[in-house]
Amino acid sequence: MYLATTDAVATATDGRRSRGRVTGPVLALGAVSLVTDISSEMVTAVLPLYFVLGLGLSPLAFGFLDGLYNGVTAFVRLLGGYAADRGGRHKLVAGSGYLLSALSRLGLLLAGGATAGIGAAIAADRLGKGVRTAPRDALISLHSPPDQLGRAFGVHRAMDTTGALLGPLAAFALLWVTADAYDAVFMVSFCCGLFGVLLLVAFVPGREEPPPARRRARGPSAPRLALALLRHAAFRRVCGAAALLGAATVGDAFLYLLLQRRLDFAESWFPLLPLGTAAVYLLLAVPAGRLADRFGRRGPFLAGHAALLVAYALLLLPTGGRPLLVGVVLALGVFYAATDGVLMALVAPFVPPDQRASGMAVVQTGQALSRLVAAAGFGAAWTLWGIGTALTCAALALTAAIAGAAALLPRAAEPHGTLRRRTT
Amino acid sequence: MTRPRPTSLTTRPRVLAVAVAAAVLTTVAVTYTVRAAHEAPPTVTTSEFALDKGQLYFRSTQAGAGRVARLPLGGRGPRTTGGPTCERFHAAGGTGLCLLRRPGIPPKAYAVVLDGKLREKRRIALPGIPNRARVSASGRILSWTMFTTGDSYSGGGGSFSTRTSILDTRTGYLIKNMEEIPLTLDGRRHHSPDVNYWGVTFAPDDNRFYATVSTRGKTYLVRGDLRKWAATALRENVECPSLSPDNTRLAFKKRVRGGTSDPWRLYVLDLRTMRERPLAEHHSVDDQAAWLDDDTLAYALPGREGRKQDVWTVPADGSGRPELRIPGGSSPAAVR
């Protein structure tokens, strides 16, 4: 059920093209992400403070709790995608994920000082995030005309990032007003998260009732579904390219650390680096998506990784001062703008609509796992050979990965209609 | 894609319902925040008392919450509230060290050096979250640890680090981050980007110090030399060391369990025999313990009966049993 009769999807399917805006459901999903990200980034920003000052725990305890669930989310994501595809329950699965994360704030409030309770609350939050991501991206793709996927994801990611930028600001403002009442932050975050769920329930269209016979016929097990997806050459190639590039992606945290060592600027500026990157991402997400729609999605995706290569190069070259700072932050922002949403737009046409969430989960999980490996590898290389050599290796690996991905990525996007006809 | 349906009839009630829900949620959030703001304790930089011998100083979380308070060291006299507002406090030899935080956008943190009358002498702006504070017995050398963390939108989830500073109050020389100190581990010079130090404690000579270093997922006890600017790892699995007044033993927390449930126990290490002994405290202690005298240790535990934190004491030789010394307190520091 669509929000308005003048919906862009409707007009698009009518053969007319509305270039000016994205569809109602995409805007609604963007609003849900914006509100949810305010909620979750509020908590993320104050959790370390709460741990160390509110509870008197040590940094190590915090680092341990925080790192505990990162690996788990990758697999939860696959499950979320699979569950959403069974019977087209994207809204239900995504909504449960959003609700679980919102409720986890109450868990933080109720846990008091008990680390076990806090650990459980953080786990619930991560679980919710893992579950909802793939169904949400599938919904965005299913509610956008195929030739405007890039823009749809661009708009969504821009709104999402806006929330991520506002969240910490809201949290620090709250702490300011209440003189460090962490419970107030958790409470406001809970209200905000719940509002996000309500927005989803009210304004994101639910399942289109499939004929019962078709619903029953669809039902391979999760691993078999993933394998079946990977049997499509084009999908396999996108997955491979994403994983290959992910394996050459050094984590931002490392780059910021390097930047700080090179420039030796006041440490109070350090938190502003990710903020700067997010701002660039926010500004460029929509233009990058539109470019991807107009000239093909593999171009921006590869160019985004080339921007990351520029960031590596800037850190390797004897540039210094402001050009280095601005250059790296800009390059990282471009990298995210041109790759994050664009990858989803790139892969969508190669996955039949009834397997969209699973397909996106497979790509995202592959990319996340290969990035995890890359970060560990870079850390090891830094330790073994020193920073210069490690970064040179990373730059060479990224160059090779870009070349490999350029060969792998399918050139022209097949319209998903042909693929659907072939698979169902 | 589905056929669009005329939905204007159902849209209005939905918008209305969401608006009502938004109003309710906003009311809840605002009410909660306003109440919290009313309960907020004021921040104060002045003190109604000085650093006097024979007093046990601590940060109160009850009367005068957030401010330093004191009790007579011997016996259970009345507590005096009204010290400066600090997140973490330590004092010795006529010098106080107060780590404080000012919420704001962005939040700021400071290390404030206090004189014998607990008046501000120097203020150093620092990024991060105040964590550990120590003043050497003479009051000359100060050290503190700040905890910094990457925000999740930077993609660096789980990346945290500590910055430990050392200040010589006589020369004014400040080492903002001691992580570049040449470190010897297993007999070899150790280079790694993930080296983190925290919890420094000083010997009476104002030169030797002990601290925790963590690298590659392990923690070690390091012995350092300020003049030579060198550090050596002595022993694995030692955190937050605290040197006894007689300079012979180190109290520390040892990780006895993986995971997050009750990971640490308090131990004392004899520096001559290098033998360690668990103390009678069976709860997990996540604090840098403070020596009240050569036989007694004080430390903070999560509070009971709704209090945030309590200060407990336990005999340093492993005998006896823990005693609740200060309900509603943390950061104990005995001024002898």
Side-chain angles (χ1 to χ4, degrees):
Chain A
M1 191 191 297
Y2 288 110
L3 188 61
T5 43
T6 53
D7 205 274
V9 172
T11 46
T13 41
D14 283 345
R16 283 183 284 135
R17 289 282 179 271
S18 92
R19 290 260 166 229
R21 56 195 197 89
V22 294
T23 65
V26 171
L27 274 182
L29 283 165
V32 171
S33 285
L34 191 153
V35 172
T36 305
D37 256 35
I38 293 180
S39 163
S40 63
E41 290 299 329
M42 273 176 85
V43 170
T44 307
V46 305
L47 261 190
L49 279 170
Y50 178 61
F51 258 69
V52 180
L53 293 185
L55 303 178
L57 298 177
S58 68
L60 213 63
F62 172 75
F64 188 83
L65 269 185
D66 199 41
L68 199 56
Y69 310 106
N70 279 343
V72 181
T73 48
F75 298 100
V76 172
R77 203 177 274 224
L78 289 175
L79 278 179
Y82 173 69
D85 281 338
R86 284 182 62 113
R89 294 175 301 190
H90 297 92
K91 182 177 168 182
L92 181 70
V93 174
S96 325
Y98 281 114
L99 187 63
L100 189 59
S101 288
L103 290 177
S104 76
R105 323 289 187 239
L106 279 189
L108 280 175
L109 260 179
L110 295 177
T115 32
I118 294 168
I122 296 178
D125 177 48
R126 300 288 154 87
L127 218 66
K129 198 179 168 71
V131 163
R132 73 188 179 229
T133 309
R136 179 203 63 203
D137 282 348
L139 278 172
I140 294 172
S141 76
L142 292 173
H143 289 292
S144 303
D147 63 339
Q148 287 175 35
L149 281 172
R151 187 171 64 182
F153 278 105
V155 168
H156 175 267
R157 295 306 197 256
M159 292 176 85
D160 187 85
T161 309
T162 306
L165 281 173
L166 290 177
L169 285 179
F172 289 134
L174 268 174
L175 287 186
W176 196 358
V177 173
T178 61
D180 288 350
Y182 303 100
D183 54 337
V185 176
F186 299 150
M187 193 67 199
V188 174
S189 165
F190 167 70
C191 291
C192 214
L194 204 57
F195 183 60
V197 177
L198 288 176
L199 281 181
L200 180 93
V201 171
F203 297 119
V204 175
R207 157 167 55 173
E208 329 161 356
E209 288 295 334
R214 237 187 102 199
R215 213 195 311 169
R216 237 177 284 126
R218 210 188 301 135
S221 68
R224 274 185 56 200
L225 184 71
L227 281 179
L229 277 168
L230 284 170
R231 228 168 275 141
H232 300 305
F235 178 76
R236 200 171 58 229
R237 296 173 101 184
V238 177
C239 272
L244 186 65
L245 287 165
T249 306
V250 172
D252 302 9
F254 279 121
L255 296 184
Y256 295 137
L257 197 63
L258 278 172
L259 201 55
Q260 197 216 338
R261 292 205 171 179
R262 280 282 305 277
L263 295 177
D264 201 30
F265 52 81
E267 282 162 351
S268 48
W269 288 86
F270 198 65
L272 294 181
L273 294 177
L275 228 68
T277 303
V280 176
Y281 176 17
L282 169 62
L283 288 175
L284 297 183
V286 178
R290 298 190 72 147
L291 274 179
D293 287 339
R294 183 167 294 183
F295 300 109
R297 284 148 198 160
R298 66 196 290 281
F301 188 66
L302 293 172
H305 284 89
L308 184 64
L309 191 58
V310 170
Y312 293 1
L314 281 172
L315 284 163
L316 277 170
L317 295 172
T319 29
R322 212 163 288 171
L324 178 62
L325 182 74
V326 173
V328 169
V329 167
L330 258 178
L332 271 178
V334 170
F335 163 62
Y336 281 113
T339 57
D340 189 21
V342 171
L343 176 61
M344 292 300 106
L346 180 64
V347 77
F350 302 116
V351 188
D354 58 353
Q355 293 168 15
R356 193 60 59 78
S358 304
M360 289 181 157
V362 168
V363 177
Q364 290 168 348
T365 304
Q367 189 186 41
L369 289 181
S370 67
R371 280 186 180 171
L372 223 66
V373 171
F378 186 73
W382 186 339
T383 308
L384 279 175
W385 306 316
I387 178 59
T389 319
L391 196 58
T392 310
C393 288
L396 290 175
L398 185 56
T399 311
I402 291 174
L408 266 178
L409 282 176
R411 213 152 265 284
E414 290 175 76
H416 68 75
T418 50
L419 196 69
R420 174 154 54 169
R421 237 175 280 128
R422 226 191 293 142
T423 50
T424 51
Chain B
M1 305 282 170
T2 43
R3 229 169 339 108
R5 290 179 215 164
T7 51
S8 52
L9 278 177
T10 55
T11 302
R12 194 172 296 167
R14 264 184 295 166
V15 170
L16 201 67
V18 169
V20 169
V24 170
L25 289 173
T26 309
T27 312
V28 171
V30 169
T31 312
Y32 202 97
T33 306
V34 168
R35 183 180 293 178
H38 273 292
E39 286 168 7
T43 46
V44 190
T45 49
T46 54
S47 177
E48 290 162 19
F49 49 77
L51 277 184
D52 296 318
K53 292 200 172 161
Q55 297 282 334
L56 173 56
Y57 291 81
F58 58 95
R59 176 183 192 263
S60 176
T61 58
Q62 286 196 309
R67 297 177 68 176
V68 175
R70 72 179 190 182
L71 277 168
L73 246 179
R76 277 150 212 255
R79 81 162 66 179
T80 316
T81 55
T85 301
C86 303
E87 296 287 354
R88 187 97 203 173
F89 179 79
H90 196 253
T95 304
L97 173 59
C98 171
L99 302 186
L100 61 94
R101 215 184 134 262
R102 286 280 174 270
I105 304 170
K108 291 198 174 74
Y110 302 93
V112 180
V113 184
L114 305 164
D115 66 11
K117 296 205 161 121
L118 288 177
R119 284 178 311 209
E120 183 168 337
K121 266 168 68 181
R122 183 171 173 186
R123 176 178 286 237
I124 297 148
L126 303 153
I129 305 163
N131 187 226
R132 300 282 181 246
R134 271 297 181 271
V135 179
S136 74
S138 69
R140 177 176 166 175
I141 313 284
L142 274 54
S143 176
W144 59 84
T145 300
M146 306 296 277
F147 165 41
T148 56
T149 174
D151 298 286
S152 83
Y153 48 79
S154 72
S159 67
F160 80 94
S161 64
T162 56
R163 282 159 218 259
T164 294
S165 312
I166 297 174
L167 171 71
D168 186 330
T169 55
R170 250 177 261 176
T171 60
Y173 185 66
L174 170 69
I175 294 149
K176 269 200 168 176
N177 188 355
M178 65 174 282
E179 73 177 36
E180 299 293 330
I181 188 170
L183 170 68
T184 306
L185 190 111
D186 295 330
R188 268 180 298 171
R189 175 88 163 82
H190 181 75
H191 300 271
S192 177
D194 70 349
V195 163
N196 272 297
Y197 289 88
W198 67 85
V200 174
T201 182
F202 298 100
D205 63 1
D206 280 343
N207 180 52
R208 168 121 40 105
F209 67 87
Y210 295 90
T212 320
V213 68
S214 104
T215 177
R216 298 185 206 166
K218 288 179 180 169
T219 60
Y220 302 87
L221 170 68
V222 291
R223 186 179 59 216
D225 189 305
L226 283 181
R227 272 193 293 277
K228 288 186 191 148
W229 196 236
T232 312
L234 298 181
R235 194 180 180 86
E236 211 186 299
N237 197 2
V238 172
E239 289 178 57
C240 297
S242 186
L243 192 60
S244 63
D246 66 8
N247 208 13
T248 60
R249 287 155 298 156
L250 277 175
F252 66 97
K253 66 185 176 94
K254 174 175 176 167
R255 183 174 268 276
V256 290
R257 246 178 300 252
T260 53
S261 65
D262 301 338
W264 291 288
R265 278 284 302 273
L266 265 191
Y267 276 71
V268 164
L269 173 72
D270 189 313
L271 286 169
R272 275 171 300 206
T273 61
M274 289 307 262
R275 290 244 289 270
E276 62 182 34
R277 184 196 289 265
L279 300 186
E281 176 58 77
H282 288 275
H283 289 102
S284 182
V285 175
D286 189 359
D287 194 13
Q288 187 171 19
W291 295 79
L292 296 189
D293 51 52
D294 277 324
D295 306 315
T296 317
L297 282 158
Y299 49 90
L301 279 182
R304 294 186 178 173
E305 293 153 22
R307 294 185 298 265
K308 272 187 167 175
Q309 282 177 309
D310 295 330
V311 173
W312 290 71
T313 57
V314 73
D317 61 359
S319 69
R321 57 164 60 171
E323 270 184 60
L324 176 61
R325 181 66 192 269
I326 308 168
S330 62
S331 279
V335 174
R336 286 176 298 270

